[in-house]
Amino acid sequence: MRFAAVTGPRLDSELPDSAAAARYVADACLVDGPLGRVGLEVEAHCHDMTVPSRRPRWEEITEVIGSLAPLPGGSRLTVEPGGAIELSGPPLDGVLAAVDAMKADQAEVRTAFADAGLGLVLLGADPLRPPKRINPGARYVAMEQFFTADRSGEAGAEMMTSTASVQVNLDAGPREGWAARVRLAHALGPTMIAMTANSPMLAGEFTGWVSTRQRVWGRMDSARCGPVLGASGDDPATDWARYALKAPVMMVRDPSETANALAVTHWVPFVDWADGRVLLGERRPTVDDLEYHLTTLFPPVRPRQWLEIRYLDSVPDELWPAVVFTLTTLLDDPVAADIAAAAVEPVSTAWDVAARIGLRDRRLYAAANACVAVAADRAPAQLADAMQRLAADVERGRCPADDFSDDVIENGLAPTVARLAQGGP
């Protein structure tokens, strides 16, 4: 999702202290305005269609991308560290426009990759291959080095190279509603995870979790990947500023060579750099350093002028439009939002339970059915089939991980992944 730049200090301006940094973060994190725009980002693992255990080389993937014309829906196409393909759509008016644009772009990209013998698989975690970085970008090299030095090294490698999501980006809305909106976006997380869990395996093994992707994120450093909300959640801008300054700096760029990035392999909260207690790159931070630092923070709901909702597993084409519609409706429709807030309140912090057993938890099951019913009542005809399938699955207490697990048990892991890579159901 891309907005116009917010007017502020020059990016090369040095920050005088942490108080100035906090003001900058708080002032720029959300934009006051109407609701309505939706931006989507969909990630898919890239597999060889005939040998799904082989991770395609960087050169293979970039050659396909280089052959593509601009996509009809306006998405940008990027490559994640492990070779997953991400389509990032522009903000459009309403869910249907965003879904239609993403589907059109997916079709173009799938065809180009299929012509090269490569398929795109929508799962929350790579079920077959061990973690491995293939993207040579300096940012990802530094990120890998940071996680290697950090106690979350194994989880960091898995997060970077083996996970995929459907991300929903929504307008922040009117200022007076920010606190309630951000609280609800967080509170919906466990219920939405339980409904959409689609990653029961990692690196060839069943993990015992329906959302291994969320399990991986839960093992990461909470200062970088945990929820943003403060004690009350009444001031999301201040909460985000406090979170950002407390989080450790992951990497520093050379101001004269912005493509370069050097890992910070010792613990330096941004506040210490901003106040001059520690110098990184032999200097104090600039506004640009602070902006870059914010891109290395990965909470489940991230304020980036809009709300970036990052907790959903990547799910099949038959389901993700209904999932996107459900989440957007529960946040943007005021009546639906009130119903959803009451329904999910008992499970608003049950992140691990949702990731481990999903809808087998009776409270999550009740919350999910209430939320889907609200969305289904408001679904347009174009999404009727997808919403009916989602509602039926939730009523049966099933998530996409259950279908994938059944397929693997019946047909084997490699054949199941190969069929998905070839476009099969």
Side-chain angles (χ1 to χ4, degrees):
M1 195 152 172
R2 302 184 290 279
F3 284 78
V6 174
T7 302
R10 289 165 48 97
L11 291 179
D12 59 358
S13 301
E14 185 177 284
L15 292 163
D17 53 31
S18 62
R23 285 193 299 273
Y24 179 86
V25 173
D27 289 347
C29 72
L30 295 172
V31 172
D32 185 18
L35 300 174
R37 288 180 299 176
V38 179
L40 300 179
E41 300 180 27
V42 179
E43 296 174 339
H45 303 286
C46 185
H47 287 267
D48 187 304
M49 284 183 166
T50 56
V51 187
S53 60
R54 184 183 77 85
R55 191 181 296 272
R57 293 176 290 107
W58 172 251
E59 293 77 13
E60 292 178 80
I61 293 173
T62 53
E63 183 176 353
V64 175
I65 293 173
S67 72
L68 284 163
L71 296 173
S75 293
R76 291 185 295 110
L77 199 158
T78 54
V79 185
E80 294 296 296
I85 305 304
E86 180 180 30
L87 282 170
S88 302
L92 298 174
D93 290 331
V95 175
L96 289 180
V99 167
D100 288 345
M102 182 57 67
K103 283 184 172 180
D105 291 349
Q106 280 185 313
E108 295 276 341
V109 172
R110 283 186 188 279
T111 297
F113 274 85
D115 289 344
L118 303 177
L120 302 180
V121 176
L122 294 167
L123 286 166
D126 187 334
L128 188 55
R129 302 170 300 195
K132 181 182 178 181
R133 178 182 59 81
I134 66 165
N135 188 325
R139 174 182 171 92
Y140 297 128
V141 172
M143 189 179 293
E144 186 176 65
Q145 292 169 345
F146 174 88
F147 286 130
T148 298
D150 184 68
R151 60 180 178 268
S152 60
E154 181 181 0
E158 293 167 348
M159 178 275 286
M160 287 177 61
T161 68
S162 298
T163 63
S165 71
V166 172
Q167 185 172 298
V168 182
N169 301 316
L170 301 174
D171 286 311
R175 182 182 299 272
E176 61 271 17
W178 285 355
R181 186 166 172 77
V182 172
R183 281 197 300 268
L184 179 56
H186 282 85
L188 284 167
T191 298
M192 294 301 302
I193 288 168
M195 288 165 45
T196 62
N198 192 32
S199 48
M201 301 186 71
L202 182 67
E205 301 288 340
F206 282 103
T207 64
W209 295 59
V210 290
S211 178
T212 302
R213 176 185 180 274
Q214 180 59 33
R215 179 198 182 199
V216 167
W217 282 98
R219 292 168 59 205
M220 302 286 288
D221 173 24
S222 62
R224 168 164 269 105
C225 302
V228 171
L229 287 183
S232 68
D234 289 337
D235 187 355
T238 298
D239 287 344
W240 178 231
R242 184 182 298 114
Y243 184 103
L245 267 65
K246 180 181 177 182
V249 180
M250 176 181 280
M251 62 188 85
V252 176
R253 294 187 298 184
D254 183 337
S256 65
E257 189 180 350
T258 56
N260 190 25
L262 298 177
V264 179
T265 56
H266 52 294
W267 189 273
V268 180
F270 194 92
V271 64
D272 287 356
W273 191 18
D275 284 334
R277 286 187 287 272
V278 177
L279 297 182
L280 298 175
E282 300 182 351
R283 60 181 176 81
R284 297 280 290 271
T286 63
V287 172
D288 185 61
D289 290 317
L290 177 55
E291 287 278 7
Y292 193 67
H293 173 64
L294 296 177
T295 72
T296 70
L297 307 181
F298 310 115
V301 179
R302 182 165 66 174
R304 297 192 63 189
Q305 300 178 40
W306 61 95
L307 293 184
E308 190 179 80
I309 301 173
R310 307 168 48 85
Y311 45 62
L312 301 173
D313 278 11
S314 189
V315 295
D317 288 326
E318 297 80 14
L319 278 181
W320 70 254
V323 171
V324 167
F325 178 80
T326 297
L327 182 57
T328 302
T329 299
L330 298 179
L331 283 165
D332 281 8
D333 182 301
V335 175
D338 287 343
I339 296 171
V344 304
E345 193 277 332
V347 290
S348 61
T349 60
W351 298 89
D352 281 355
V353 175
R356 189 171 65 251
I357 62 174
L359 296 176
R360 293 196 294 275
D361 179 88
R362 60 179 179 80
R363 298 181 308 159
L364 286 164
Y365 175 82
N369 276 279
C371 287
V372 170
V374 171
D377 285 344
R378 292 160 171 76
Q382 299 95 312
L383 296 179
D385 290 345
M387 282 301 306
Q388 287 174 6
R389 173 171 173 173
L390 178 62
D393 286 349
V394 170
E395 185 177 6
R396 292 186 297 150
R398 290 180 65 86
C399 61
D402 295 317
D403 294 332
F404 179 76
S405 297
D406 290 348
D407 285 347
V408 170
I409 291 168
E410 181 177 353
N411 301 305
L413 177 55
T416 298
V417 176
R419 188 182 74 252
L420 293 175
Q422 292 160 13

